[in-house]
Amino acid sequence: KMAAALSREGGEDAFRRLFRFYRQRDVSDLWGVVDFSVPGGQVFRSQLSISSVSDQDAYRAGLQPVSQWKAYGLNGYPGFIFIPNPFLPGCQRHWVKQCLKLYPQKPNVCNLDLHMAPEKTIDLWGQSKEQLRRKDPSKREPRSLLEKLRWVTLGYHYNWDTKKYSANHNTPFPSDLAFLSEQVAAACGFWGFQAQAGILNYYHFDSSLGIHVDESELDHSRPLLSFSFGQSSIFLLGGMKREEAPTAMFIHSGDIMVMSGFSRLLYHAVPRILPNPEGTALPSCLDQALSSDLPVGSVIEHSSDEDWQVCAKYLQSSRINMTIRQVLAEGQKFPEESGTKGKGQAPFEDSHHQDYSRAKRHKPNTD
């Protein structure tokens, strides 16, 4: 009831008021949050472009045939598409392992690069796996380097200071993640989408992501793709102004969000991370083993039992999110640069991802 009253109240920065509300609210009292597993109310079924992705290409990306996906939209948010877990059994494990073991490696950039010598961040997985494997959830122990990871950037690396991408700060985008993104974009009607930049966010139960708009890409006609794995979260999707109250929704492991068209430039945030609703250490979709019979050309790789033990221990208190963007339109180039060439300051402080608009203040997120 209080959330509904806050939504109706409007006025100055209604988004911030609801951000605080959901950040502080008891987990058992979240009845007003949109749950796409029980659609109704402002939720409606959304059509997908089934013929744009062959079953073989879907299988190669670790996805069910598009004809078996369910997709939903929200009244008042044209261009927003929510796809509850379309991954084949066991395939989420591949993306979790990539986000923890492969993607943080150089030449990709992570938040730890801002505070540590380069040689200290070369192999975060190797330096953390034994500590993670032995970790006792009932005890307070120092966090491993992987647990101190907050973000990793891929492809065109986002500069947190200038809020820009640049031609001279670019490394090869992972081919497996590009293929996955291209299939999801095509299924949503965006044929020819190019995965050019990625920001991976790593959350724990005490983490949040501040209120912001993803507007730094030069081409806003292409969608923003969001993939989530591990524990659940509340996601707030607002309007063009922060005075507009947002809609709250649950995101669970394997869920995909697509923000396009009108919804591409809306304010959004993650006020809190929640234990998965099944009440188990990991959601059941992550307990499923990968089929031994992968299709020819699959980008999915089997994870060793040893590697998955490390990933599973990490995910017991964490959530990983991959957001993939196309920065430039076909044939478009970056304008001549006149800004700084530094690495850029991280958008967070301590365990909280900080409000992007306050990234340079070096203060904790008071939201």
Side-chain angles (χ1 to χ4, degrees):
K1 292 180 180 179
M2 189 179 298
L6 283 168
S7 296
R8 289 194 300 269
E9 186 176 332
E12 184 178 357
D13 213 345
F15 200 127
R16 184 179 299 277
R17 284 198 300 274
L18 276 170
F19 185 102
R20 288 175 175 161
F21 172 82
Y22 285 110
R23 176 138 190 87
Q24 299 166 0
R25 204 66 181 165
D26 187 274
V27 174
S28 63
D29 186 19
L30 297 173
W31 62 269
V33 182
V34 173
D35 188 344
F36 289 96
S37 65
V38 283
Q42 69 184 112
V43 176
F44 61 89
R45 284 296 294 266
S46 183
Q47 296 298 313
L48 294 169
S49 181
I50 296 175
S51 62
S52 294
V53 180
S54 68
D55 290 355
Q56 183 70 9
D57 280 344
Y59 290 143
R60 289 176 58 207
L63 299 164
Q64 301 172 32
V66 178
S67 59
Q68 296 180 21
W69 299 8
K70 293 180 179 179
Y72 301 98
L74 281 174
N75 287 322
Y77 297 96
F80 176 78
I81 304 171
F82 192 100
I83 305 169
N85 184 17
F87 288 94
L88 290 167
C91 289
Q92 288 188 52
R93 292 187 176 191
H94 169 83
W95 303 109
V96 171
K97 184 191 73 173
Q98 298 297 79
C99 288
L100 291 175
K101 185 175 183 179
L102 182 65
Y103 297 158
Q105 294 180 9
K106 299 294 170 282
N108 298 330
V109 182
C110 71
N111 62 289
L112 299 179
D113 296 325
L114 308 180
H115 313 290
M116 301 175 64
E119 62 271 15
K120 298 287 188 181
T121 62
I122 290 176
D123 184 14
L124 302 181
W125 174 270
Q127 296 182 71
S128 305
K129 60 182 182 180
E130 289 305 323
Q131 184 178 347
L132 269 171
R133 190 179 289 113
R134 297 193 306 267
K135 193 175 183 67
D136 184 346
S138 64
K139 297 180 180 178
R140 290 184 62 88
E141 300 176 6
R143 283 182 169 175
S144 64
L145 286 179
L146 271 182
E147 292 171 295
K148 294 178 180 179
L149 199 59
R150 292 293 172 263
W151 53 262
V152 168
T153 53
L154 312 172
Y156 288 114
H157 297 285
Y158 186 71
N159 186 308
W160 304 104
D161 273 343
T162 63
K163 298 182 174 63
K164 292 180 179 180
Y165 299 95
S166 64
N168 60 10
H169 199 192
N170 178 26
T171 55
F173 194 93
S175 59
D176 58 347
L177 185 51
F179 186 76
L180 169 69
S181 303
E182 289 160 8
Q183 307 319 305
V184 171
C188 294
F190 295 95
W191 185 256
F193 174 84
Q194 298 178 49
Q196 297 174 336
I199 298 180
L200 315 180
N201 280 304
Y202 301 80
Y203 300 85
H204 307 299
F205 283 132
D206 56 357
S207 301
S208 63
L209 178 65
I211 306 163
H212 68 284
V213 175
D214 291 296
E215 59 186 357
S216 298
E217 296 73 29
L218 276 65
D219 180 16
H220 295 152
S221 70
R222 311 304 276 171
L224 177 75
L225 310 180
S226 171
F227 303 85
S228 295
F229 306 104
Q231 301 301 323
S232 300
S233 71
I234 292 178
F235 179 78
L236 298 180
L237 182 61
M240 302 291 287
K241 300 178 181 179
R242 289 171 60 134
E243 289 77 16
E244 300 176 50
T247 295
M249 62 196 80
F250 290 115
I251 302 178
H252 304 303
S253 191
D255 291 348
I256 300 174
M257 290 192 307
V258 179
M259 296 172 67
S260 67
F262 172 80
S263 295
R264 176 64 177 79
L265 296 175
L266 298 183
Y267 279 100
H268 53 279
V270 177
R272 70 184 301 170
I273 308 304
L274 302 168
N276 88 83
E278 298 170 273
T280 51
L282 289 180
S284 57
C285 60
L286 288 169
D287 287 334
Q288 298 169 312
L290 184 64
S291 169
S292 58
D293 185 23
L294 293 173
V296 175
S298 175
V299 300
I300 303 298
E301 300 173 346
H302 284 95
S303 298
S304 68
D305 290 341
E306 179 185 10
D307 282 357
W308 180 244
Q309 287 175 9
V310 177
C311 294
K313 186 61 72 73
Y314 177 91
L315 288 183
Q316 286 181 13
S317 60
S318 304
R319 168 183 179 253
I320 298 173
N321 176 255
M322 312 186 300
T323 58
I324 313 304
R325 309 108 189 281
Q326 179 169 334
V327 178
L328 301 168
E330 187 72 33
Q332 188 177 21
K333 295 183 179 180
F334 287 101
E336 291 296 325
E337 295 187 35
S338 59
T340 61
K341 296 183 180 180
K343 290 182 179 178
Q345 175 59 40
F348 68 91
E349 187 75 16
D350 297 324
S351 61
H352 299 275
H353 291 67
Q354 201 171 2
D355 186 325
Y356 282 12
S357 64
R358 298 181 176 184
K360 296 188 218 175
R361 296 190 185 180
H362 308 285
K363 293 181 180 179
N365 184 352
T366 55
D367 286 335

